[in-house]
């Protein structure tokens, strides 16, 4: 018969699973953010718009799962949208 697991051991195992899950989600968000910034730097408005939409979706998903806080998600979305608007609105008005 297997030995019983203490509640501390169980809690540690649960927290480790959550930590790895949260780490994967944060990594995915950072990857999309990096791809968006690269598209902006390459002056590719269409790709940047697509990457921005995907990034916003991933950020909202991370927020709903409790991985990122509401303010952190709002801040990241605001900064990315500002970068997009500053980079491409000047070109559209020319």
């Amino acid at each position: 018969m297997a030995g019983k697991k203490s509640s501390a051991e169980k809690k540690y195992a649960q927290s480790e699973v959550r930590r790895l899950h949260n780490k994967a989600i944060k990594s995915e968000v950072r990857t999309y953010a990096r791809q968006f910034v690269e598209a902006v730097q390459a002056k590719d408005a269409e790709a940047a718009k697509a990457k921005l939409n995907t990034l916003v979706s991933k950020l909202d998903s991370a927020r709903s799962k409790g991985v990122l806080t509401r303010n952190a998600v709002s801040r990241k979305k605001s900064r990315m949208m500002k970068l997009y608007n500053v980079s491409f609105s000047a070109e559209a008005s020319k």
Side-chain angles (χ1 to χ4, degrees):
M1 191 169 166
K4 285 214 164 199
K5 187 183 276 192
S6 73
S7 62
E9 290 170 327
K10 181 179 178 184
K11 189 70 173 169
Y12 176 76
Q14 289 173 332
S15 69
E16 189 64 14
V17 168
R18 274 195 303 274
R19 182 184 72 83
L20 293 174
H21 181 252
N22 292 347
K23 182 179 177 183
I25 292 172
K26 286 179 185 178
S27 175
E28 185 180 32
V29 168
R30 282 192 298 266
T31 299
Y32 282 109
R34 179 181 47 79
Q35 290 173 351
F36 167 71
V37 171
E38 288 172 356
V40 169
Q41 290 174 343
K43 304 285 189 219
D44 188 354
E46 292 300 317
K49 183 66 173 173
K51 298 288 183 187
L52 179 61
N53 288 338
T54 306
L55 176 59
V56 168
S57 173
K58 294 294 180 180
L59 284 168
D60 289 338
S61 175
R63 169 61 192 117
S64 69
K65 294 173 184 174
V67 176
L68 296 173
T69 64
R70 183 185 70 205
N71 287 348
V73 169
S74 295
R75 181 178 64 246
K76 291 174 194 304
K77 284 168 48 175
S78 174
R79 287 177 181 173
M80 294 301 170
M81 289 179 185
K82 181 178 179 183
L83 175 63
Y84 178 83
N85 290 334
V86 166
S87 299
F88 297 113
S89 67
E91 292 177 10
S93 65
K94 287 183 182 179

